[in-house]
Amino acid sequence: MIGFLIVLLGAVFFCFQNVIVRILFNEYTVAGLLQTGGFVVPSLPNSFLLMAMRMVLVVPLVSAMTPLFYPALWWDLKKLGQQQHRPDLIRSLLGGVFMYLYLALLYFSVGLIPTGIALTLFFTFPVFTALLSWYFFGDAPSRFRWMVMGLVLFGSALTVPQTGLTANALGVGLGVGSGVAYAIYTVLAQKSFEQVHPVPYTWISFAVTLVLSCISLLFWTQPEAIEWGPLWIGGLLSAIATSSGHLLNNMGIRLIGATTASIIGATNPALTVVLAWFAIQETLNPLQIFGVILVTFSVALLSREKRK
């Protein structure tokens, strides 16, 4: 039960970071008390900016916290620099590239469509993961998996907004694209974990995301005056949420195992909808709520079936 609660709390932190991004892009009344947000226009360059600001804080936080539960972090990173471990290092770096890509796409999507919908579309990634695993590892999906994957896609379709088709079509496409990028990331991780521990692999992913986010800022132009103070506050809160979420998730995995933790993590879309409703009064219609519930339930089924 303790492990379950730890992973669930970690999932809440992950949802919290997405709501923060939504507030930075759009003005809301937070908790019905404070009118704030809308500090930057939702665009891909500004997504790079927010991601870079978050990662420049995340990497030091993770570096400080990780040795508390995995003291061998720096030794493992040093070992990856050796010639015989070069293929493992290349796979780990490539994983970081796809982490950067899925985060950038998800950030932009969250800025264009409601947070719960963006995250629900992102959570179609198990479908793409199953297809990629079939292609690269010969792990053909069973009839049950095909059924569940169909439910995931159907539930995601129900969450698509019905108004503002131009902006929403882009937001929906980016949300699904982030899921595809994350699926590639997970397939790379599956292969890398044969030789590399998940903790240093995750640290490398964060570090690569930080570097690529900073490089992306070379193409960023400041079109108007920006309130840097609120952006840095949002970046700090997001960094704390990200670091805490990964720390709690890793602690929970150690207690209850990765499979059970992934099933709990499948509640992220529903948790995000609840958190967005509470924090910024972001509402969904009944059909969209049903879609969120269906995707959450379907991903949990897919994760449980893989356990068998």
Side-chain angles (χ1 to χ4, degrees):
M1 179 58 67
I2 293 176
F4 176 89
L5 293 176
I6 287 175
V7 174
L8 188 60
L9 181 58
V12 171
F13 275 110
F14 286 131
C15 297
F16 182 61
Q17 72 179 8
N18 290 292
V19 173
I20 292 174
V21 173
R22 183 72 175 168
I23 293 173
L24 292 176
F25 277 140
N26 301 274
E27 187 173 358
Y28 290 98
T29 301
V30 178
L33 300 173
L34 177 64
Q35 188 80 16
T36 187
F39 302 110
V40 288
V41 176
S43 66
L44 190 57
N46 286 335
S47 296
F48 291 148
L49 173 66
L50 295 184
M51 187 163 57
M53 293 175 69
R54 183 180 75 167
M55 298 311 298
V56 79
L57 297 171
V58 163
V59 173
L61 283 172
V62 172
S63 299
M65 291 192 299
T66 297
L68 298 178
F69 63 92
Y70 189 72
L73 170 64
W74 304 115
W75 168 255
D76 283 0
L77 292 175
K78 182 179 180 181
K79 185 174 65 175
L80 285 173
Q82 298 174 0
Q83 184 66 35
Q84 62 268 34
H85 296 288
R86 195 59 53 82
D88 300 324
L89 176 61
I90 292 175
R91 277 193 295 268
S92 299
L93 292 173
L94 191 58
V97 172
F98 280 98
M99 172 181 271
Y100 158 80
L101 183 59
Y102 96 75
L103 284 173
L105 295 176
L106 183 59
Y107 260 59
F108 198 8
S109 179
V110 166
L112 294 175
I113 59 179
T115 310
I117 296 177
L119 200 60
T120 300
L121 292 170
F122 166 73
F123 261 82
T124 60
F125 76 83
V127 175
F128 304 112
T129 301
L131 294 174
L132 289 170
S133 295
W134 184 15
Y135 182 79
F136 287 106
F137 304 119
D139 184 15
S142 64
R143 183 177 301 177
F144 177 79
R145 288 193 194 182
W146 283 119
M147 180 193 72
V148 173
M149 287 189 288
L151 288 175
V152 170
L153 293 177
F154 177 66
S156 297
L158 294 179
T159 68
V160 175
Q162 302 300 311
T163 59
L165 293 180
T166 302
N168 286 331
L170 179 59
V172 169
L174 291 169
V176 174
S178 68
V180 173
Y182 187 73
I184 297 174
Y185 172 80
T186 58
V187 170
L188 285 169
Q190 178 181 337
K191 181 64 177 178
S192 297
F193 289 166
E194 296 175 2
Q195 303 293 334
V196 182
H197 191 278
V199 172
Y201 181 88
T202 304
W203 187 94
I204 291 173
S205 297
F206 279 141
V208 171
T209 301
L210 170 60
V211 172
L212 292 179
S213 298
C214 291
I215 292 175
S216 299
L217 291 181
L218 296 176
F219 305 97
W220 178 78
T221 57
Q222 183 174 335
E224 55 187 15
I226 292 181
E227 299 181 57
W228 290 104
L231 285 186
W232 279 113
I233 292 174
L236 177 60
L237 293 175
S238 183
I240 293 173
T242 300
S243 303
S244 300
H246 278 277
L247 175 60
L248 290 169
N249 193 60
N250 285 334
M251 290 172 58
I253 288 174
R254 188 168 59 179
L255 292 172
I256 63 176
T259 301
T260 304
S262 68
I263 295 173
I264 298 171
T267 62
N268 265 279
L271 287 174
T272 300
V273 169
V274 174
L275 183 59
W277 168 78
F278 177 78
I280 56 179
Q281 294 77 56
E282 187 173 85
T283 59
L284 302 177
N285 64 47
L287 190 62
Q288 291 173 321
I289 292 175
F290 176 72
V292 170
I293 294 173
L294 182 60
V295 170
T296 300
F297 176 71
S298 301
V299 173
L301 279 180
L302 187 60
S303 298
R304 183 170 292 277
E305 194 271 343
K306 291 175 69 176
R307 187 180 183 182
K308 297 178 182 178

